[in-house]
Amino acid sequence: AQSVAQPEDQVNVAEGNPLTVKCTYSVSGNPYLFWYVQYPNRGLQFLLKYITGDNLVKGSYGFEAEFNKSQTSFHLKKPSALVSDSALYFCAVRDVGTYKYIFGTGTRLKVLA
Amino acid sequence: EPEVTQTPSHQVTQMGQEVILRCVPISNHLYFYWYRQILGQKVEFLVSFYNNEISEKSEIFDDQFSVERPDGSNFTLKIRSTKLEDSAMYFCASSEVQVYNSPLHFGNGTRLTVT
């Protein structure tokens, strides 16, 4: 079965610094990977996806993610963090052959002013 | 931008009571989902629905749960006899087409509290 892991419960970063939120995956076949963000009392919002092609994927709000097949990782990055980026971030994988999307356990990002 | 809407935003019920959570997916979307989130953390798949039938369900989605699309717009989740452990945030989601690069669009959720 497909799965994703987010090894960090929380990431703290100073405003203006680059941020990385980590995700590793375990899939059979080609991975279909996604990042979502959740703000307080809101649903999950789609940020970006990797299907095939370029290993660096650009998404909403200045976020990007780097797909690394050898390390089975799909880390979320942003060159310069904003306080408003503080939220809960979820990595997800599409379960091949089913209609199901499997989510990681989430990483809380805190950007400090 | 079109949105998935969920009602109510908060539902409080007593153990053993039936609840119905309602969702209006985005109008041209064909695939519908229910997920739940406990303690603001893990997001768990419950069920997917397409063409008026369940496509897949998780082990959480037992006989106490059911889904229905009673008309062309609403998509409901019913919990027949609620338990304390059903307390969670329930999210409805939809997607336009069922291809591997199609993201889910989520509603803002219904917070279910079972007392």
Side-chain angles (χ1 to χ4, degrees):
Chain A
Q2 325 286 60
S3 66
V4 288
Q6 295 181 244
E8 302 155 319
D9 289 337
Q10 182 161 318
V11 170
N12 294 329
V13 64
E15 187 176 29
N17 282 3
L19 70 86
T20 299
V21 182
K22 295 179 181 176
C23 173
T24 59
Y25 65 87
S26 173
V27 302
S28 53
N30 294 323
Y32 301 97
L33 298 161
F34 302 80
W35 275 102
Y36 287 81
V37 60
Q38 185 181 30
Y39 297 100
N41 301 311
R42 300 296 298 273
L44 283 72
Q45 295 178 38
F46 168 71
L47 276 180
L48 51 79
K49 64 187 178 190
Y50 172 82
I51 308 301
T52 59
D54 289 341
N55 289 340
L56 187 63
V57 178
K58 294 193 183 295
S60 306
Y61 313 122
F63 283 93
E64 55 192 28
E66 186 172 9
F67 173 73
N68 188 315
K69 188 173 182 178
S70 63
Q71 297 185 3
T72 62
S73 66
F74 187 56
H75 299 333
L76 182 70
K77 299 173 186 282
K78 187 172 183 181
S80 178
L82 300 172
V83 172
S84 57
D85 292 329
S86 298
L88 192 54
Y89 289 81
F90 289 94
C91 182
V93 65
R94 168 67 190 274
D95 200 7
V96 175
T98 80
Y99 296 96
K100 188 167 61 174
Y101 295 73
I102 299 166
F103 288 83
T105 52
T107 298
R108 189 166 300 280
L109 173 67
K110 282 195 175 180
V111 181
L112 308 169
Chain B
E1 186 175 326
E3 292 183 338
V4 176
T5 56
Q6 290 186 243
T7 55
S9 57
H10 193 183
Q11 174 88 47
V12 181
T13 189
Q14 289 189 328
M15 195 168 52
Q17 295 297 305
E18 175 183 286
V19 294
I20 297 176
L21 310 182
R22 302 180 191 282
C23 169
V24 179
I26 295 172
S27 63
N28 64 337
H29 284 193
L30 301 175
Y31 298 85
F32 313 118
Y33 301 78
W34 285 100
Y35 281 81
R36 77 177 185 188
Q37 185 178 35
I38 295 178
L39 297 178
Q41 201 69 22
K42 187 177 180 182
V43 177
E44 301 175 306
F45 170 79
L46 293 178
V47 67
S48 60
F49 190 88
Y50 168 68
N51 200 24
N52 283 321
E53 61 182 23
I54 291 174
S55 307
E56 188 176 6
K57 59 184 180 180
S58 71
E59 60 276 6
I60 302 169
F61 195 89
D62 61 22
D63 292 344
Q64 295 300 312
F65 291 86
S66 63
V67 290
E68 194 178 36
R69 188 157 164 83
D71 53 43
S73 59
N74 290 285
F75 179 51
T76 62
L77 174 69
K78 182 193 290 186
I79 308 175
R80 204 178 334 274
S81 177
T82 49
K83 308 184 192 72
L84 294 176
E85 55 265 35
D86 293 329
S87 294
M89 195 77 169
Y90 287 80
F91 289 104
C92 175
S94 66
S95 70
E96 184 176 3
V97 293
Q98 197 53 272
V99 296
Y100 291 122
N101 62 350
S102 181
L104 297 180
H105 296 259
F106 284 83
N108 285 333
T110 293
R111 182 174 300 281
L112 177 65
T113 303
V114 182
T115 61

